[in-house]
Amino acid sequence: MPKNLKNTSTYEDQGLSPLIYQALDASVSGVIITDNRLPDNPIIYHNAAFEKITGYSKREIIGHNCRFLQGEDRQQPARAKIKEAIQKGQHITVEIRNYTKQGDLFWNELYISPVKDSDGQVTHFIGVQNDITRRKRVEEKLLMEKESVEKKVEERTENLRSSQEYLNSIIETIREGLVVLDPHFKVLKVNKAFLKLFKVSETETINKLLFDLGNRQWDIETLRELLVKILPTNNPVLDYVVEHDFPHIGPKTMLLNAHRIELEGKYKDRILLAIEDVTDRREIEKRKDDFLSIASHELKTPLTAIRGYVQLLKRFISKENIKALDILSKSDTQIERLNNLIAELLDVSKIKSGKLDIHHSAFDFDKMVRDTIESVQLTNKEHKIVLRGSTGVICNGDETHLSQVVGNLLTNAIKYSPDQAQVSVDLARFGDQVKVMVSDQGVGISDSDKKRIFERFYRVKNIQKRFSGMGIGLYICQQIVLQHGGTIWVDSELGKGSTFSFTIPYKK
Ligand code: ADP
């Protein structure tokens, strides 16, 4: 043991320069010296800062092994490191959890340095300690924040991954072929349905220009024009029909819809193109239309014959045979009804094939309406048809077809207001237009049905059983009005009644 170091910090006793002791006591770092030659390596010196940091007094420090500073907290990896360094007589710096006399934790950054004699034997250890609790807390806080940020990132990534998977599964489940294009119409992504539809592989498709794909089948001038406008104008391409003999799959009818892609409310420079093979659907529709056309023609011929025979029969029956004449006249009414139904079916097939001929000629519009009301009134005695207003115009249009429109609206108004006694027709003229309004106070139409009643064969579900019909009257009306350059619409409230109105330019 160097003679200048004794178990006391009184520098006079130690024979050391008082200046060095003053210097040691002035340090903010705790300094201790242990004597390795004594049993249990006791502390033989400490400076003032050590007392301040640990809260122990000299009496409680001198002669003790340093381990009292760890209290019960023995299982620290730093202790094992210190032990090893001491055994090997090496320097070491560790961060170790220490406890003050009051039991408060403080983090100690401990530097231990061995002192050796001339034989190389470790005689003493000098320990220098710094309270780094504050730094540690900041570090711990930082670590916690880092962990929380990492956790959030992980959660977000997971969310993103699952929404990506969700999106992918939707894209792959959809039966339509989907293609994502960049602003130059280069294919960025396609779904399996597209590859299956066109019997192509991804390598034949990805990074190729849309217009170069499979024999340049998409290089269609009008389609190109529509697609070019999507990004700058945001106008989607809706239900664009492409009929083409495709390389691997033959002649097909494809329905194209294209939109600019929108992500989180922002439009991207990407186009999503959906391609649907409607070949079979079109074929079935065509067959239905063909059937309609053939059936209505075939039905008309025998009906015309029956009508002739009934007329003939009327002549052979004497005026006195009232009963027979009454039956014949009832047959006439039913034949007329059947004839009208067949005529309607024929109209539908004519409209579908674009063959509904509208012949324009000048006629008295109000008289046409009056005559139509009269003939509807004849067969519908339960309701009174009230006519209000007049147009006073000579209309240039197809009188027969316009009368068909008014008649249809009237018979509907009567049919769908069975508990009412009156329906009305209002006429008006403004500018170059005439307007007809047919009103009833019957069953009315719901908002969702209002959008569909002008469709071919559409009938409101819950009243189908109560009222007979084929769901084509309004479709024909709309087509006739459209062909006259007019519009037709309905205002209605469920349970309160409906008003069907149409306008047409009368000079056309
Ligand atoms: P149909 O009367 O033969 O069913 P329409 O094409 O004339 O066919 O009418 C389509 C549907 O619109 C009808 O089935 C009915 O549900 C509804 N509709 C038409 N006119 C009226 C009306 N005046 N009041 C209530 N519903 C109506």
Side-chain angles (χ1 to χ4, degrees):
M1 172 175 173
K3 62 178 172 357
N4 54 349
L5 291 174
K6 294 187 182 157
N7 292 356
T8 170
S9 62
T10 319
Y11 43 80
E12 288 89 358
D13 294 348
Q14 316 236 348
L16 264 185
S17 151
L19 207 57
I20 293 178
Y21 277 94
Q22 270 184 11
L24 282 167
D25 278 341
S27 163
V28 288
S29 304
V31 179
I32 54 164
I33 301 172
T34 65
D35 191 335
N36 195 36
R37 294 161 311 174
L38 296 177
D40 208 19
N41 196 14
I43 300 171
I44 57 162
Y45 167 80
H46 67 82
N47 69 347
F50 186 80
E51 277 187 37
K52 203 168 166 226
I53 294 170
T54 63
Y56 288 100
S57 65
K58 181 192 287 177
R59 205 162 35 84
E60 293 159 313
I61 303 169
I62 299 296
H64 290 259
N65 181 283
C66 296
R67 75 178 71 89
F68 69 88
L69 286 173
Q70 282 95 56
E72 299 295 308
D73 191 2
R74 292 296 160 94
Q75 302 304 322
Q76 302 188 46
R79 276 177 58 86
K81 283 190 196 157
I82 295 173
K83 201 172 164 194
E84 195 189 337
I86 287 178
Q87 273 167 6
K88 290 185 181 163
Q90 290 170 341
H91 299 255
I92 188 168
T93 303
V94 289
E95 288 176 0
I96 188 163
R97 283 192 299 275
N98 281 357
Y99 295 86
T100 64
K101 188 179 171 187
Q102 286 73 36
D104 296 332
L105 168 82
F106 70 94
W107 275 95
N108 186 2
E109 185 185 64
L110 179 61
Y111 168 69
I112 298 174
S113 169
V115 179
K116 293 182 183 166
D117 62 13
S118 50
D119 300 332
Q121 292 299 312
V122 176
T123 60
H124 298 82
F125 284 98
I126 297 171
V128 180
Q129 45 178 288
N130 284 302
D131 183 352
I132 54 158
T133 312
R134 226 193 282 163
R135 194 186 87 199
K136 267 297 198 198
R137 294 228 167 101
V138 172
E139 274 176 18
E140 271 170 9
K141 207 171 156 211
L142 273 175
L143 194 72
M144 270 164 64
E145 271 170 17
K146 191 171 158 245
E147 277 169 4
S148 123
V149 168
E150 274 171 5
K151 201 163 163 253
K152 273 189 198 147
V153 169
E154 226 169 77
E155 276 171 16
R156 292 258 164 91
T157 319
E158 182 53 35
N159 283 349
L160 208 68
R161 212 183 359 253
S162 53
S163 50
Q164 183 72 37
E165 278 165 17
Y166 179 64
L167 197 70
N168 275 346
S169 63
I170 293 176
I171 290 172
E172 293 307 341
T173 316
I174 277 176
R175 281 195 298 168
E176 277 139 39
L178 294 179
V179 186
V180 178
L181 303 170
D182 80 356
H184 309 291
F185 308 109
K186 195 167 79 184
V187 177
L188 300 177
K189 194 170 164 39
V190 289
N191 68 347
K192 285 201 191 88
F194 177 89
L195 301 175
K196 208 168 145 211
L197 188 60
F198 293 100
K199 296 200 171 74
V200 284
S201 67
E202 267 193 29
T203 39
E204 286 171 281
T205 322
I206 300 286
N207 285 332
K208 301 267 160 52
L209 286 184
L210 174 78
F211 303 116
D212 289 344
L213 289 186
N215 215 7
R216 300 188 68 79
Q217 63 218 17
W218 303 111
D219 194 5
I220 304 160
E221 193 56 33
T222 42
L223 176 65
R224 205 185 255 268
E225 276 169 21
L226 289 171
L227 287 177
V228 164
K229 279 189 210 143
I230 288 185
L231 290 183
T233 64
N234 220 356
N235 276 346
V237 173
L238 298 175
D239 292 341
Y240 183 84
V241 179
V242 174
E243 281 176 354
H244 187 81
D245 194 352
F246 292 90
H248 302 292
I249 53 173
K252 294 273 174 195
T253 309
M254 299 287 177
L255 203 61
L256 265 56
N257 279 279
H259 287 261
R260 185 174 182 183
I261 290 181
E262 191 183 343
L263 271 183
E264 289 175 354
K266 284 198 188 128
Y267 286 110
K268 306 276 158 194
D269 279 346
R270 299 269 184 280
I271 298 168
L272 177 67
L273 182 65
I275 303 166
E276 193 184 351
D277 181 354
V278 290
T279 319
D280 292 346
R281 211 200 300 159
R282 292 267 160 133
E283 177 60 27
I284 291 168
E285 269 172 32
K286 192 176 167 300
R287 263 187 252 157
K288 260 200 306 194
D289 290 339
D290 289 351
F291 169 77
L292 200 66
S293 160
I294 295 166
S296 43
H297 269 111
E298 292 300 313
L299 287 171
K300 208 171 163 64
T301 322
L303 191 68
T304 316
I306 293 172
R307 197 190 224 164
Y309 294 137
V310 170
Q311 297 302 332
L312 209 60
L313 208 57
K314 262 190 198 162
R315 276 200 242 148
F316 290 116
I317 289 176
S318 73
K319 295 253 171 5
E320 285 77 50
N321 198 344
I322 296 170
K323 187 109 184 137
L325 280 173
D326 183 43
I327 291 171
L328 278 179
S329 126
K330 279 182 180 146
S331 305
D332 244 357
T333 315
Q334 294 309 319
I335 289 169
E336 195 48 36
R337 270 191 67 192
L338 198 54
N339 193 43
N340 286 339
L341 288 175
I342 293 169
E344 276 194 339
L345 284 176
L346 262 172
D347 277 348
V348 173
S349 70
K350 278 187 203 153
I351 290 167
K352 277 307 285 176
S353 56
K355 286 182 198 144
L356 183 75
D357 287 334
I358 297 290
H359 299 287
H360 285 255
S361 61
F363 67 94
D364 180 338
F365 194 81
D366 296 349
K367 183 173 181 302
M368 176 278 287
V369 174
R370 278 197 306 275
D371 290 351
T372 312
I373 291 177
E374 199 179 306
S375 84
V376 176
Q377 186 74 83
L378 262 180
T379 44
N380 294 280
K381 302 272 184 331
E382 307 284 299
H383 287 72
K384 170 139 182 56
I385 307 171
V386 177
L387 174 65
R388 290 185 290 249
S390 64
T391 67
V393 304
I394 298 297
C395 177
N396 188 17
D398 190 318
E399 183 172 8
T400 317
H401 278 118
L402 287 173
S403 162
Q404 189 180 342
V405 174
V406 178
N408 230 318
L409 296 182
L410 264 174
T411 44
N412 274 352
I414 290 167
K415 179 161 71 170
Y416 296 110
S417 63
D419 307 325
Q420 300 295 319
Q422 184 176 306
V423 295
S424 56
V425 180
D426 289 88
L427 295 181
R429 184 189 66 172
F430 48 90
D432 65 343
Q433 308 268 331
V434 284
K435 181 176 178 185
V436 180
M437 293 162 75
V438 180
S439 311
D440 65 69
Q441 282 156 2
V443 295
I445 305 161
S446 73
D447 284 343
S448 57
D449 284 319
K450 265 186 235 169
K451 292 185 198 124
R452 304 203 53 193
I453 49 172
F454 291 98
E455 285 173 23
R456 200 160 55 118
F457 301 121
Y458 187 82
R459 304 201 69 220
V460 174
K461 277 209 175 62
N462 52 354
I463 59 163
Q464 269 186 26
K465 287 196 189 98
R466 235 175 112 196
F467 305 99
S468 66
M470 295 194 289
I472 51 177
L474 289 180
Y475 169 73
I476 297 170
C477 290
Q478 189 186 44
Q479 296 302 317
I480 294 171
V481 171
L482 285 177
Q483 294 218 24
H484 278 83
T487 49
I488 182 164
W489 69 98
V490 61
D491 297 297
S492 181
E493 208 177 317
L494 207 56
K496 298 220 165 134
S498 315
T499 298
F500 282 83
S501 313
F502 74 88
T503 55
I504 51 160
Y506 62 86
K507 285 183 193 151
K508 200 178 166 192

